[in-house]
Amino acid sequence: HGDGSSPPRLREVWEKVSADLAAGWTVQRLAKIASLSEESIRRLSLLETKRTPMEHVTHLRMRTAASLLILHP
């Protein structure tokens, strides 16, 4: 879900996360990027991705790890 169908605010957040998956992402940092409160980004993330912001960060990391494993067994 969340890929391409996110509102621009969250799309920018997930693009930044995807560009630096190893960063120490926090809900506070994600909210600041989106210019939202922590509660607002949490609600929007749940609505769009069915995951909390930090669950979605983990999802993006795991998706990337899985594709790397497939490409480089």
Side-chain angles (χ1 to χ4, degrees):
H1 229 64
D3 307 323
S5 63
S6 294
R9 267 186 175 169
L10 286 191
R11 189 175 317 124
E12 179 187 352
V13 171
W14 304 138
E15 286 172 0
K16 286 185 184 293
V17 170
S18 293
D20 191 3
L21 291 168
W25 295 105
T26 64
V27 176
Q28 295 89 341
R29 189 170 170 200
L30 298 172
K32 186 174 181 182
I33 292 168
S35 300
L36 294 168
S37 69
E38 290 175 38
E39 183 54 33
S40 293
I41 195 170
R42 186 181 163 286
R43 275 198 308 266
L44 199 50
S45 180
L46 283 169
L47 183 68
E48 293 295 320
T49 70
K50 309 291 189 257
R51 292 182 275 272
T52 67
M54 294 312 299
E55 286 171 344
H56 196 61
V57 168
T58 299
H59 168 78
L60 293 172
R61 288 173 170 158
M62 296 306 291
R63 188 179 67 187
T64 299
S67 65
L68 290 173
L69 287 171
I70 291 167
L71 293 172
H72 308 286

